[in-house]
Amino acid sequence: GAPRKNLKFKKAVDATLKSTPENKILTYNNFYEFGTDKTDPAENAQDLKVEPWTLTVEGEVAKPGKLDVWELINGTQLEERIYRMRCVEAWSMVIPWVGIELGKILKQFEPTSKAKYVAFQTLHDPEQMPGQKNRFVGGGIDYPYVEGLRMDEAMHPLSLLAVGLYGKTLAPQNGAPIRLVVPWKYGFKGIKSIVRIKLMERMPSTSWNQLAPDEYGFYANVNPQVDHPRWSQASERFIGEGGLLGFSRQATLPFNGYGEQVAGLYSSMNLKRWF
Ligand SMILES: Nc1nc2c(c(=O)[nH]1)N[C@H]1C(S)=C(S)[C@@H](COP(=O)(O)O)O[C@H]1N2
Ligand SMILES: [Mo]
């Protein structure tokens, strides 16, 4: 694949979280369009054509339109955000993303008062994505991969459209050229290689919820007190430095450690029912 380009961005001031080594972020992935093993995306996604890339924004907006993603990447508004990332499979990393707040992008298209949810869609291109061509390679997901947020979640300042990590543009396996990052939710909400955003009045359907509704909800807030039907979510395997044993077991935090910022979004909700 093409080499990752250096980005211009405002560096994060928060230095309390120690990032997972870059080589692990680049080689231990979930991107089922390229296969279901953790090493498949790094092996199979290198030829994904990411330039040019257009992101369409439509639905309940006064000004529907298209965003030239490379104009955004080469622009001056990017900032670094060092976030915890917790996969529903009970492993976690810390990733130094570079991106722009999702809310800042959505505002440019002027959401209407009917916009209650935001739906996202990954590129659908079976010629480039072997998992979309073959159901067994793609893990049974009905492609394209789709995700969604409630409007207030999407407008929250922690919600990020990431275009890079470790100061460089994203590698294809991490969802180049643009992907979603919602740090208080399980990783599957962080949809990769996005081509379409649609603001909606109704809750959109989402890929993992469609595949196994008893196991994956729409909200998917990280919650150590709500177990997955097949495993505990109370702790996680943090992938840090070191070789094969370069991980440590740690307690999972409510809202992945972002409760102070986001718990208020859910104050009236039963989080066991709305998992
Ligand atoms: N289009 C698409 N987006 C996706 C996935 C996927 O299979 N396809 N996997 C999700 C899951 S389960 C996780 S944990 C994160 C992994 O992101 P990373 O590989 O960059 O760490 O991407 C999410 N986004
Ligand atoms: Mo995940």
Side-chain angles (χ1 to χ4, degrees):
R4 291 163 58 214
K5 296 175 188 159
N6 289 320
L7 292 170
K8 280 206 192 99
F9 59 94
K10 194 171 103 211
K11 257 196 105 47
V13 282
D14 177 342
T16 51
L17 290 173
K18 189 164 168 52
S19 293
T20 295
E22 188 172 12
N23 68 313
K24 294 190 179 176
I25 299 172
L26 293 173
T27 55
Y28 191 91
N29 301 102
N30 279 330
F31 199 169
Y32 277 24
E33 285 86 337
F34 296 99
T36 56
D37 285 350
K38 292 289 177 282
T39 50
D40 282 343
E43 281 170 23
N44 302 330
Q46 295 314 317
D47 294 333
L48 180 67
K49 190 173 179 278
V50 300
E51 203 171 348
W53 195 276
T54 304
L55 175 54
T56 301
V57 181
E58 59 185 8
E60 290 297 341
V61 284
K63 293 190 171 156
K66 291 177 193 297
L67 192 87
D68 178 334
V69 170
W70 284 92
E71 227 166 74
L72 179 77
I73 292 172
N74 295 322
T76 55
Q77 317 181 67
L78 303 180
E79 57 174 304
E80 184 178 48
R81 295 280 181 96
I82 304 171
Y83 282 161
R84 294 183 200 85
M85 137 96 162
R86 170 59 155 85
C87 175
V88 75
E89 298 162 336
W91 55 269
S92 68
M93 295 183 178
V94 168
I95 303 185
W97 301 107
V98 178
I100 182 166
E101 281 178 23
L102 171 62
K104 286 189 184 167
I105 297 290
L106 294 180
K107 273 186 201 146
Q108 295 172 12
F109 295 87
E110 299 183 10
T112 73
S113 59
K114 281 189 183 164
K116 299 285 191 293
Y117 293 91
V118 186
F120 302 84
Q121 191 180 309
T122 293
L123 176 70
H124 189 233
D125 187 350
E127 293 310 313
Q128 291 201 83
M129 295 175 151
Q132 293 181 340
K133 216 170 193 177
N134 181 323
R135 232 183 129 67
F136 297 99
V137 176
I141 288 174
D142 190 11
Y143 292 105
Y145 193 103
V146 287
E147 256 306 335
L149 294 171
R150 215 170 55 190
M151 195 64 192
D152 58 343
E153 299 176 322
M155 299 309 290
H156 192 282
L158 286 177
S159 294
L160 195 73
L161 281 173
V163 298
L165 60 81
Y166 268 104
K168 294 190 169 127
T169 50
L170 290 174
Q173 59 267 36
N174 294 110
I178 190 162
R179 62 90 58 85
L180 180 66
V181 178
V182 190
W184 70 94
K185 293 179 179 284
Y186 290 118
F188 66 85
K189 299 296 288 183
I191 181 172
K192 295 179 169 180
S193 306
I194 303 167
V195 293
R196 189 178 297 274
I197 294 179
K198 187 173 184 182
L199 285 80
M200 299 172 68
E201 197 167 6
R202 301 284 173 89
M203 184 184 279
S205 74
T206 57
S207 286
W208 281 96
N209 180 251
Q210 274 178 340
L211 192 69
D214 306 335
E215 302 191 356
Y216 311 101
F218 175 83
Y219 283 93
N221 293 315
V222 175
N223 192 337
Q225 289 173 12
V226 177
D227 287 336
H228 186 279
R230 291 182 280 128
W231 58 83
S232 166
Q233 295 292 26
S235 71
E236 64 201 41
R237 187 167 57 88
F238 176 73
I239 300 175
E241 281 174 349
L244 275 179
L245 295 174
F247 63 83
S248 49
R249 203 23 84 179
Q250 63 186 30
T252 291
L253 302 171
F255 298 107
N256 206 24
Y258 301 96
E260 213 173 287
Q261 292 101 307
V262 303
L265 298 175
Y266 311 102
S267 50
S268 64
M269 281 172 64
N270 175 346
L271 296 173
K272 287 200 161 79
R273 166 158 161 65
W274 299 104
F275 61 95

